[in-house]
Amino acid sequence: MPDVAVVGTGPNGLSAAAVMARAGLSVEVFEAAQTIGGGTRTTELMQPGHFHDVCSAVHPMALASPFFRAFELPRRVDLITPEVSFGSPLDGGRAALAYTSLERTATELGRDGAAYRRLMEPLVRHIGDVMDFTQNQLLRIPRNPVMAGVYGLRTLEQGTGLWNARFREDLAPALLSGVAAHAISHLPSLAASGAGLMLGALGHADGWPIPRGGSASIAAALADDIRAHGGVIHTGTPIDRLEQLPATRATLLDVAPRGLLDMAGDALPGRYRRALEAFRYGNGSCKVDFILSGPVPWQASGLADAGTVHVGGTRTELAASENQVSAGRHPERPYVLVAQPSRFDPGRAPDGRHTLWTYCHVPAGSTRDMTGEVMAQLERFAPGFRDLVVESHAITAAQLAQYNRNYVGGDFSAGVMDVRGLVQRPVASPVPWRTPLLGVYLCSSSTPPGPGVTGMPGMHAATYALKDIFRLPVPDLSLG
């Protein structure tokens, strides 16, 4: 019998399995789908030779996540880092661009450039401390309390009605709001502000890389390391009850709280079970992929060099769109998150063709296909876009929930992103990865630090399993 069983092969399940296998333990991983990856899958979704990322596409954490740094991901996966991390188009052919160079970004933001630099510069300069604070349980003393305080004060400013006090024009606010809206939350809000400032600082510190060949290359690198250290991965093997697993000393579950409830049943103590039943999931997304006959004809030419584009207009427009979703409505002019992978990785499509990755936010459980609204927003800032569309494919929020049981209601964050949702993830505890069941740990995005391809929930859960069950330290994860 193996020492460890892991359920789920998203980046967190795989990171947990990699840590345990590197520690010299025998590990078996179980995946319901026929292919590994969870939120890091790449497929020929519509036509042969056109490769689309099913969930994640651009990876701000790939160079900065403590797990990926220890794992030396850049030595295993070819990460392409665009000079422009992200951008926000405005009407009239204007755009705010976030370069990897903070100085160049500030210069091009005009009158608000100096204010933007003052906001971001300490976070960029101390990005390691920012990551230590944000990639761990919040109920702990941070490595650098002073820097955590600086980050907290900026989060408070940009997450409240004070968010416009620093700026006089519309470029910098649109740039910040576009990245904050990743959180699928009311704007302004503390959780969205915190996420936006962290992601924005990463854009200037290390950039937002795109894996050559697609996000599946990250899952493949993790799987290769697991197998190289004796681990076994079973695909096409759904686990609905804990009793289906081999009798191991430790079990790590890359599942949402609802999944743990289903798998453990009455074995969970009543208080913990009730806490999981009360766990709150967030709103969903409608994902729309495109095959294009040419690059996106952005009216603002600088956007062609951006790996990610936040489409939606001004800060006021972005907030209105996100707040409609928070109120349970489908916005007519949605915030659209756009990635342009084939612009930087030509192997994603045949010569003359491009793949485009987009999604917009919708109420939880939505069955509405938002292709029309997404195309209208793209046409607004890239006139002629419609004429380039060869084929499109939409996945509604309800279909996302069917694709991955962790995406309850289409919520790929696996839990609502607000202050309470960050502290109670899934319960308020110094060690939220540890469950009341002996040897059973949660390692999904429903545990700290939350969503994103970071591998950190898996690393945290594995760290405690090694300590609690095996009395082992965290092993060296490098290639050597």
Side-chain angles (χ1 to χ4, degrees):
M1 291 297 176
D3 298 311
V4 180
V6 177
V7 176
T9 62
N12 296 317
L14 292 174
S15 66
V19 172
M20 301 304 266
R22 282 291 191 111
L25 301 171
S26 56
V27 178
E28 291 196 21
V29 186
F30 300 86
E31 168 58 48
Q34 297 299 323
T35 58
I36 65 167
T40 51
R41 288 194 178 105
T42 306
T43 185
E44 294 172 293
L45 188 62
M46 288 176 270
Q47 296 183 17
H50 298 75
F51 294 92
H52 304 264
D53 289 316
V54 181
C55 294
S56 60
V58 180
H59 296 271
M61 307 286 192
L63 297 172
S65 154
F67 169 75
F68 284 136
R69 289 176 69 88
F71 188 67
E72 297 184 326
L73 186 66
R75 293 182 61 188
R76 305 168 188 263
V77 175
D78 185 5
L79 298 173
I80 307 162
T81 305
E83 184 181 9
V84 181
S85 296
F86 54 92
S88 292
L90 297 175
D91 291 321
R94 298 180 302 138
L97 303 176
Y99 295 90
T100 51
S101 165
L102 176 60
E103 189 62 34
R104 183 174 178 184
T105 303
T107 298
E108 294 194 9
L109 287 176
R111 293 173 64 196
D112 284 332
Y116 181 86
R117 184 194 300 107
R118 287 193 296 271
L119 176 72
M120 299 300 295
E121 194 274 336
L123 308 182
V124 175
R125 183 157 41 91
H126 296 280
I127 193 63
D129 292 321
V130 172
M131 295 303 290
D132 170 76
F133 180 61
T134 60
Q135 296 303 297
N136 281 283
Q137 163 63 289
L138 293 181
L139 300 177
R140 61 185 281 274
I141 298 175
R143 181 177 69 191
N144 186 336
V146 173
M147 194 57 226
V150 171
Y151 172 76
L153 288 173
R154 281 158 168 72
T155 297
L156 185 65
E157 173 198 311
Q158 289 299 305
T160 65
L162 298 173
W163 68 340
N164 284 320
R166 186 181 291 262
F167 303 112
R168 294 173 290 176
E169 298 183 331
D170 54 4
L171 287 174
L175 193 64
L176 289 166
S177 297
V179 71
H182 281 239
I184 321 181
S185 177
H186 187 87
L187 292 180
S189 71
L190 294 178
S193 169
L197 289 171
M198 177 196 67
L199 292 171
L202 287 171
H204 299 305
D206 296 311
W208 286 13
I210 296 171
R212 189 177 301 280
S215 292
S217 61
I218 295 177
L222 286 163
D224 288 346
D225 196 76
I226 293 166
R227 294 187 181 108
H229 291 85
V232 178
I233 299 176
H234 306 276
T235 57
T237 310
I239 302 296
D240 299 312
R241 303 284 296 179
L242 290 178
E243 292 85 351
Q244 294 174 253
L245 294 168
T248 59
R249 296 177 65 189
T251 300
L252 293 93
L253 305 174
D254 185 2
V255 302
R258 186 173 296 180
L260 177 56
L261 285 166
D262 292 340
M263 296 170 71
D266 294 336
L268 291 170
R271 183 176 180 181
Y272 187 80
R273 185 173 64 250
R274 288 189 294 273
L276 296 190
E277 289 170 346
F279 183 77
R280 299 170 305 134
Y281 299 91
N283 284 310
S285 296
C286 177
K287 185 168 183 291
V288 186
D289 288 283
F290 295 93
I291 293 175
L292 305 178
S293 60
V296 179
W298 299 108
Q299 195 170 12
S301 59
L303 293 173
D305 296 323
T308 301
V309 183
H310 303 127
V311 174
T314 64
R315 165 169 274 181
T316 300
E317 290 178 290
L318 292 170
S321 170
E322 292 300 277
N323 295 343
Q324 286 179 56
V325 176
S326 295
R329 301 193 297 272
H330 293 82
E332 291 185 13
R333 283 189 160 187
Y335 161 81
V336 183
L337 204 157
V338 178
Q340 308 182 103
S342 61
R343 162 69 178 79
F344 306 94
D345 181 7
R348 302 286 189 97
D351 289 345
R353 293 284 186 91
H354 282 270
T355 56
L356 192 72
W357 177 104
T358 81
Y359 72 75
C360 68
H361 298 150
V362 293
S366 169
T367 59
R368 183 164 166 178
D369 180 343
M370 295 289 285
T371 300
E373 289 84 350
V374 168
M375 288 184 66
Q377 284 287 67
L378 287 165
E379 184 72 23
R380 173 185 169 190
F381 297 105
F385 172 80
R386 293 181 187 274
D387 298 332
L388 298 176
V389 175
V390 175
E391 191 172 349
S392 66
H393 180 275
I395 307 175
T396 67
Q399 290 169 332
L400 277 174
Q402 294 171 359
Y403 161 76
N404 189 324
R405 285 183 285 184
N406 286 358
Y407 300 167
V408 177
D411 171 21
F412 52 67
S413 296
V416 68
M417 292 293 290
D418 60 12
V419 173
R420 176 184 162 194
L422 291 174
V423 174
Q424 294 180 341
R425 203 164 186 93
V427 295
S429 165
V431 188
W433 308 275
R434 189 189 287 147
T435 79
L437 302 179
L438 180 62
V440 177
Y441 299 79
L442 268 181
C443 65
S444 70
S445 294
S446 298
T447 65
V453 179
T454 67
M456 289 303 296
M459 186 174 191
H460 286 308
T463 297
Y464 280 101
L466 288 173
K467 175 184 175 182
D468 298 341
I469 306 299
F470 301 100
R471 302 295 189 265
L472 291 173
V474 176
D476 178 14
L477 301 175
S478 68
L479 277 171

